[in-house]
Amino acid sequence: LEALPLTPSGKVNWRSLPAPREDDRFTVTRIAPRNPTEEILVNIWKDILKLSEIGINENFFDLGGHSLMATQVLARIRGAFEVELPLKEFFASPVISDLALLIEREKMRARQLSAPPLKRVKRPDRIPLSFSQQRLWFLDQLAPGLPNYNLPSALRLKGNLNVEVLERAIRMIISRHESLRTTFKHEKGEAYQQIEEEFSFNLPVEDLSDLPESEREAKALQIARSEAAAPFNLETGPLFRVKLLKMDENEHIILFTMHHIISDGWSMGVLVNEFTSVYDTLVKGESVELPEPPIQYGDYAIWQREWLKDEALKDLINFWEQELGKNPPPLELPTDKPRPAMQTFNGKTLEMQLPKNLSEQLAAFSQKEGVTLFMTLLAAFQTLLHRYTGQKQILVGSPIANRPYTELESLIGFFVNTLIFKADFSQSEDFRSLLKQVRERTLKAYAHQALPFEHLVDALQPERDMSHSPLFQVAFILQNVPFEKLELTDLSVSPLSVENTTSKYDLTVNAVETPDGLILYFEYNTDLFEEETVRRWQKHFRLLLEKILQKPKTNIHQIDFLPDEEKQKLLTEWNAAKQTFPDGKTVHGVFYEQVLRNPHRPAVVKNGQTLSYLELNRKANQLANFLVKKGLRIDNIAGISMERHPDMVISILGILKAGGAFLNIDPAYPKERVEYMISDSGIDFLLSHSNVAENLPVDQTNIFCLDALWEEISAESDQAPQVAVEPTNLAYVIYTSGSTGKPKGTMLAHRGLCNLSAAQRKAFNINEQSRILQFASLSFDASVWETVMALLNGAALVLTSQENLTTGQGLLNVLKEQKATIVTLPPSVLAVTPFEALPDLKTIVTAGEKCTTDLVKRWAEGRQFVNAYGPTETTVCASMYETSPADDREPPIGKPIPNFQLYVLDAHWQLLPIGIPGELCVGGVGLARGYLNRPDL
């Protein structure tokens, strides 16, 4: 020791430390940071002093610091902790561990909290439960014996194990810690701790060595899972179980299981450290002298209840109310399965190893930014959740050891508390600014960690919902002290990983620091998420971390974290809908091809009367020539308002052949609506019938009543007028519902209808024998869907009166009598239509509303049942999904129809991952030209 180079202050001069010699008998250890405050100070010093390693007990000035650097340190302390330290105090305590205490003292003074001393107390007759224990006891009363709060741990013991000494060691640990001898009684609803002075313990041993070697490991893991899931009885106990499995003479597995009400993760470490230490001492034949713990858990429970009341409690509650707000909304993380009405805890854990270089870069980045690694990872995780949900406020829970006193460090007990960390994305645009926000919020949360989670729930009064945990549904944990292999006398001890089958929350990400880099364990609820989904999330998180390191000032909404293979699916594979269609043609041009192919097949049918393709074409040509003479020009809009009648179909084709676009106006529409459509569209032509025209709110001179004009119209040529209509010219206008303001006239072109009819023919196997019922209101674009489905594919369009379609039975009668083969109906109509065998009906298309599983099971048996979707702006239809009666989920809207693309984007126009909801953006040949007279939209 005398040979160590020392500084004038008597500390080791780390910079001048010589290389150790083989006969050196000392170990030099830098004491690592023990809390976030110390960790941030270490990072600040590293950055200013340009050193890679610094211990918390090293002197700033001995490491090369000077007064100018000291002022830099104080400036960063002010920014990081929001406390003001005088320079003279820094010179008096230029050591990180002392500075951390000063900072905590200043924060404590600001809160004006003073806790009573933590010491042994005179025990009352009934020792109360701590607040955390109270909550677990209450949950156990609601659902006794659930394994959700079991804490299992398994160790593999290799070498010469002395089972008798092992049992003695465990007995000594049980004798040392009251928690391991505690049960929970209650009287009149009031629970209390019952501590047994004597605790009989015998180590159960199960011998697996007789099994074939290939079967032993599987059997051991099965027993381990069974032990971990076996329930505890809080009243009768014991709440601590141990079992030893003998694999062979030189290998054993020891299983520890404790109920969370007497233990926590830190306690597991205490248990293993003490057990191995005592065993090693005993096996050497030495006497074990375990010092009496300064306090026991019962003393802590009494102290906690004595302290956390009145002003101290009020101060803590006030902070958390301001930080999180009353009744914060739940995280809307999209699930693969419907959320059960009662929260479940079935789970699975998926592991992901981050590359060592990425883990090192994250640590270096955190150091440079003056934050802890936990803060960087937490901010990145909250960013991912924000991008998944679009929510501005992201709350993530995280357990904290909650052992701020040295007296608690070596105790087994339930001390862990849960903190909630908030990120407000309305306050941060790039990751670097978010990280600063997260650092400030995290430090404030640590400074107010004493409030038990149970009190926090009571204070914030979240809306009672048994389907998820209160206040937060997702947790994040960083463990930077991984359990490493221990070498004892004739024995090595290493952890055994046992498959986890529970999940306390919807999702928990547990990050563990190892020499080979960070390992991320994603624990998820299997009743909510599929494994495939969580594996995608793991890839997203890794890519997000990489992108953050590359450009931390990138806008949070512009960070691209999608892997190439996922982009390939979203952009290419799932949008591979390119197919040939009558591109370069018009609607009436495609119709005329059917006239040439099937001139005498029925085109329009109503009440036993039939109009053949040839007849329909001649009449449409005559009307077109008439309209051209009257002044209808290309892209002019002509209205049609009449009841279902062959003249309606003739009008559509006549207007198109004349170069115009048709606007269907349902005569049953309210007068104000009809007035608005006529006025807004500015039409100069309105085709109607006399019985309808007299009720239309328009100058009668602009109405052409076909029933009164057929003699004049029929004098026109039955050859199509020579009008040069292009596929991009306007074909029809449909007015939106106006649910988001005034109705808008949507302008659709020929090209989209030509593509639509080709898609329909392929999807529904339409041929000359097909008979398609015209059901939809004439002002809905579904009526256009029905018309082109028939007339551009050589099928018959079946018309009937509105009265026949107003009831389910009336509709059923029409379908039977007219032998309809294809019908398009909204789910609400299907729901009230009596079910009956319809042998001619081959295809049902449903659209316009959400379709239910019940409707699929009722109508899909033995026929094609298609759920179609599309806004008016996409030429009626953008996607289809063919259902099956065996489907156990509500039918989705399916995949894009030919020559369309579907993308789900967020509010910032970024491509969203698979399974994440957003805005549906549609591209393709059938997109509208725009809104009539509304170029701004």
Side-chain angles (χ1 to χ4, degrees):
L1 288 173
E2 290 175 359
L4 286 175
L6 303 179
T7 65
S9 61
K11 301 287 180 75
V12 174
N13 188 336
W14 299 99
R15 289 182 170 179
S16 304
L17 194 65
R21 302 183 302 272
E22 286 189 10
D23 60 344
D24 282 342
R25 299 282 179 169
F26 61 87
T27 301
V28 177
T29 304
R30 280 195 173 92
I31 300 177
R34 297 166 296 191
N35 57 54
T37 303
E38 290 181 346
E39 192 172 347
I40 288 175
L41 287 173
V42 166
N43 285 339
I44 291 173
W45 282 31
K46 283 180 180 178
D47 194 42
I48 289 177
L49 294 170
K50 307 303 179 189
L51 295 176
S52 59
E53 294 296 333
I54 293 177
I56 63 170
N57 289 335
E58 297 177 60
N59 188 293
F60 179 79
F61 300 107
D62 291 344
L63 293 173
H66 49 69
S67 56
L68 182 59
M69 287 183 175
T71 58
Q72 288 180 279
V73 170
L74 292 179
R76 296 201 188 184
I77 287 174
R78 189 183 308 115
F81 302 103
E82 295 184 351
V83 297
E84 195 75 43
L85 288 184
L87 190 60
K88 65 178 182 179
E89 289 207 39
F90 183 83
F91 276 86
S93 303
V95 175
I96 286 175
S97 56
D98 295 339
L99 281 175
L101 289 174
L102 285 174
I103 290 168
E104 291 301 322
R105 186 191 67 193
E106 289 301 315
K107 283 153 63 176
M108 185 73 79
R109 182 183 296 159
R111 296 201 318 272
Q112 297 180 334
L113 286 178
S114 55
L118 184 55
K119 60 184 180 180
R120 282 185 179 267
V121 295
K122 184 178 179 181
R123 301 287 180 82
D125 293 337
R126 292 181 176 175
I127 300 173
L129 277 60
S130 70
F131 293 119
S132 299
Q133 285 182 324
Q134 187 79 36
R135 177 169 176 262
L136 285 199
W137 178 84
F138 177 73
L139 292 174
D140 188 76
Q141 297 297 300
L142 290 177
L146 289 179
N148 312 337
Y149 293 98
N150 288 6
L151 295 179
S153 181
L155 302 175
R156 193 185 296 275
L157 313 174
K158 284 192 172 183
N160 183 22
L161 177 68
N162 187 322
V163 177
E164 183 184 342
V165 171
L166 176 67
E167 189 173 54
R168 282 177 57 201
I170 294 171
R171 283 183 185 147
M172 293 182 73
I173 303 302
I174 293 172
S175 175
R176 175 172 161 77
H177 293 279
E178 286 183 355
S179 288
L180 301 180
R181 294 180 272 118
T182 300
T183 55
F184 297 85
K185 314 293 183 186
H186 65 93
E187 188 172 309
K188 297 180 181 177
E190 194 71 30
Y192 58 92
Q193 299 186 50
Q194 179 78 41
I195 301 169
E196 303 297 335
E197 292 301 322
E198 296 295 326
F199 187 91
S200 176
F201 174 77
N202 295 298
L203 178 64
V205 181
E206 191 164 343
D207 192 345
L208 305 182
S209 59
D210 291 338
L211 292 174
E213 191 172 344
S214 59
E215 297 178 14
R216 290 177 203 165
E217 189 75 10
K219 181 64 176 176
L221 292 175
Q222 178 192 334
I223 294 170
R225 287 192 294 268
S226 177
E227 279 291 304
F232 286 104
N233 186 312
L234 298 191
E235 188 159 0
T236 60
L239 304 181
F240 169 59
R241 286 196 300 263
V242 189
K243 178 176 265 192
L244 185 68
L245 308 179
K246 180 180 179 182
M247 308 297 281
D248 57 38
E249 289 301 324
N250 292 307
E251 183 176 353
H252 293 75
I253 291 174
I254 188 167
L255 306 174
F256 296 107
T257 313
M258 293 188 275
H259 195 284
H260 203 347
I261 201 167
I262 64 160
S263 180
D264 55 22
W266 182 297
S267 299
M268 276 295 186
V270 172
L271 174 69
V272 171
N273 288 336
E274 289 194 3
F275 142 68
T276 52
S277 173
V278 170
Y279 172 85
D280 205 41
T281 304
L282 289 174
V283 86
K284 290 176 184 175
E286 301 172 3
S287 62
V288 176
E289 296 181 5
L290 290 175
E292 182 73 13
I295 67 166
Q296 290 282 358
Y297 191 83
D299 302 308
Y300 167 77
I302 294 168
W303 170 86
Q304 185 192 49
R305 288 187 174 270
E306 190 65 31
W307 173 40
L308 286 180
K309 59 184 181 181
D310 304 331
E311 287 302 313
L313 183 62
K314 183 180 177 183
D315 185 85
L316 289 168
I317 289 174
N318 285 343
F319 165 79
W320 286 107
E321 283 183 346
Q322 291 175 13
E323 175 70 1
L324 303 179
K326 288 276 190 179
N327 187 24
L331 185 72
E332 295 169 3
L333 191 61
T335 61
D336 296 317
K337 309 171 189 178
R339 184 179 290 276
M342 197 79 169
Q343 184 181 5
T344 64
F345 301 93
N346 302 313
K348 187 174 181 179
T349 300
L350 299 177
E351 176 184 331
M352 178 178 69
Q353 171 86 53
L354 291 185
K356 186 175 182 180
N357 66 329
L358 176 58
S359 302
E360 291 171 346
Q361 289 169 16
L362 286 165
F365 174 78
S366 302
Q367 174 187 328
K368 184 179 178 183
E369 297 296 321
V371 300
T372 66
L373 178 61
F374 171 79
M375 293 172 186
T376 299
L377 294 172
L378 174 64
F381 185 52
Q382 288 173 314
T383 297
L384 190 66
L385 295 175
H386 168 64
R387 292 286 298 271
Y388 283 167
T389 64
Q391 290 173 269
K392 300 289 187 185
Q393 318 278 327
I394 300 294
L395 304 185
V396 171
S398 187
I400 185 170
N402 196 30
R403 299 182 187 230
Y405 298 91
T406 55
E407 295 90 341
L408 304 178
E409 289 180 0
S410 59
L411 270 187
I412 291 176
F414 184 15
F415 297 98
V416 67
N417 194 17
T418 302
L419 295 184
I420 300 179
F421 298 113
K422 173 181 172 181
D424 188 343
F425 286 85
S426 64
Q427 297 180 3
S428 301
E429 290 190 353
D430 60 75
F431 185 78
R432 184 164 273 156
S433 63
L434 173 71
L435 188 55
K436 182 179 179 183
Q437 180 199 145
V438 168
R439 179 182 67 184
E440 293 170 359
R441 290 182 182 276
T442 302
L443 289 171
K444 287 178 181 177
Y446 282 130
H448 296 82
Q449 65 179 279
L451 183 69
F453 183 72
E454 300 67 37
H455 280 64
L456 185 58
V457 174
D458 291 340
L460 300 187
Q461 300 172 358
E463 189 174 322
R464 185 173 177 81
D465 188 339
M466 301 302 288
S467 68
H468 56 70
S469 57
L471 298 185
F472 72 93
Q473 294 75 51
V474 170
F476 185 85
I477 306 164
L478 173 63
Q479 295 182 1
N480 49 17
V481 189
F483 180 83
E484 297 179 358
K485 187 175 180 180
L486 297 172
E487 296 294 339
L488 309 179
T489 303
D490 297 330
L491 194 67
S492 69
V493 182
S494 59
L496 175 69
S497 179
V498 179
E499 181 185 2
N500 178 35
T501 58
T502 63
S503 178
K504 287 187 175 64
Y505 308 107
D506 292 359
L507 176 69
T508 300
V509 175
N510 193 343
V512 178
E513 288 189 80
T514 75
D516 297 322
L518 285 163
I519 299 178
L520 302 178
Y521 296 93
F522 281 60
E523 175 188 292
Y524 65 97
N525 188 310
T526 51
D527 293 325
L528 298 177
F529 306 111
E530 300 286 359
E531 179 177 326
E532 181 185 9
T533 296
V534 180
R535 291 201 183 278
R536 275 200 307 271
W537 292 352
Q538 288 180 316
K539 293 177 183 176
H540 295 163
F541 192 42
R542 173 179 167 171
L543 272 175
L544 181 70
L545 291 171
E546 291 175 354
K547 294 297 177 70
I548 284 168
L549 291 175
Q550 290 169 13
K551 293 183 178 180
K553 282 198 167 184
T554 302
N555 187 294
I556 281 169
H557 301 109
Q558 304 298 324
I559 300 173
D560 177 13
F561 55 82
L562 294 187
D564 289 341
E565 63 269 21
E566 189 168 352
K567 284 184 191 171
Q568 172 73 13
K569 273 187 178 178
L570 292 166
L571 296 174
T572 307
E573 191 177 321
W574 289 355
N575 277 302
K578 188 172 179 60
Q579 289 182 19
T580 59
F581 74 100
D583 202 4
K585 298 182 180 178
T586 61
V587 173
H588 48 283
V590 177
F591 166 74
Y592 186 60
E593 290 176 0
Q594 294 299 332
V595 174
L596 297 176
R597 191 177 292 124
N598 302 295
H600 303 297
R601 295 290 305 175
V604 181
V605 177
K606 183 177 183 185
N607 299 335
Q609 295 181 335
T610 300
L611 205 59
S612 71
Y613 271 85
L614 184 60
E615 292 169 326
L616 176 58
N617 185 58
R618 285 174 176 169
K619 287 180 176 290
N621 286 342
Q622 289 170 333
L623 177 58
N625 285 305
F626 173 82
L627 293 174
V628 169
K629 280 187 177 180
K630 294 295 183 181
L632 185 65
R633 296 292 179 262
I634 289 177
D635 277 2
N636 285 175
I637 302 169
I640 304 172
S641 186
M642 59 184 75
E643 295 171 351
R644 288 178 181 82
H645 188 278
D647 284 357
M648 176 194 75
V649 184
I650 294 168
S651 298
I652 289 174
L653 287 168
I655 292 169
L656 294 175
K657 284 171 177 279
F662 63 90
L663 167 62
N664 275 336
I665 302 171
D666 193 328
Y669 260 29
K671 181 180 178 182
E672 295 77 13
R673 171 84 175 193
V674 173
E675 264 181 349
Y676 174 79
M677 291 168 68
I678 293 173
S679 169
D680 186 69
S681 63
I683 55 176
D684 292 323
F685 302 87
L686 181 54
L687 310 186
S688 186
H689 280 165
S690 302
N691 63 326
V692 172
E694 60 189 16
N695 296 315
L696 291 175
V698 66
D699 185 351
Q700 299 294 308
T701 58
N702 292 325
I703 298 179
F704 297 96
C705 296
L706 298 194
D707 55 338
L709 290 171
W710 262 122
E711 187 174 344
E712 182 181 348
I713 294 170
S714 60
E716 297 292 340
S717 168
D718 61 4
Q719 299 300 305
Q722 297 302 305
V723 180
V725 182
E726 298 293 331
T728 53
N729 282 134
L730 208 55
Y732 70 103
V733 173
I734 287 282
Y735 271 81
T736 60
S737 64
S739 57
T740 57
K742 283 187 176 182
K744 300 182 288 289
T746 312
M747 302 186 292
L748 290 305
H750 285 257
R751 192 168 183 244
L753 287 177
C754 292
N755 181 69
L756 178 64
S757 64
Q760 292 168 324
R761 181 172 63 255
K762 183 175 181 181
F764 311 135
N765 194 28
I766 302 170
N767 55 41
E768 293 83 354
Q769 281 72 44
S770 299
R771 294 171 66 86
I772 296 159
L773 179 66
Q774 202 286 295
F775 172 85
S777 163
L778 303 186
S779 286
F780 287 169
D781 57 0
S783 67
V784 181
W785 156 278
E786 294 161 332
T787 302
V788 300
M789 185 193 298
L791 300 184
L792 273 58
N793 290 309
L797 184 65
V798 178
L799 306 179
T800 189
S801 65
Q802 180 64 29
E803 290 75 21
N804 288 340
L805 303 175
T806 53
T807 65
Q809 187 59 53
L811 172 61
L812 199 64
N813 293 339
V814 171
L815 291 172
K816 279 192 296 187
E817 293 165 6
Q818 296 298 326
K819 299 183 183 298
T821 61
I822 303 175
V823 66
T824 302
L825 299 170
S828 55
V829 172
L830 276 173
V832 298
T833 302
F835 181 76
E836 190 173 317
L838 296 166
D840 297 302
L841 188 59
K842 307 299 182 189
T843 299
I844 295 177
V845 183
T846 189
E849 301 161 359
K850 187 177 181 180
C851 182
T852 64
T853 318
D854 291 343
L855 287 179
V856 175
K857 294 188 182 304
R858 181 176 165 197
W859 290 101
E861 194 67 52
R863 65 169 61 92
Q864 184 184 34
F865 189 102
V866 175
N867 188 39
Y869 166 83
T872 300
E873 292 83 352
T874 65
T875 311
V876 189
C877 184
S879 68
M880 297 184 204
Y881 175 79
E882 188 160 342
T883 69
S884 164
D887 287 349
D888 58 358
R889 60 170 183 170
E890 290 183 342
I893 65 169
K895 293 185 177 181
I897 68 168
N899 303 308
F900 268 77
Q901 303 86 40
L902 302 181
Y903 307 101
V904 182
L905 308 182
D906 65 17
H908 301 272
W909 297 90
Q910 296 300 303
L911 191 64
L912 281 167
I914 295 168
I916 303 299
E919 295 291 341
L920 182 66
C921 293
V922 185
V925 300
L927 292 189
R929 283 181 18 177
Y931 295 115
L932 186 62
N933 303 322
R934 297 297 304 273
D936 55 312
L937 296 179

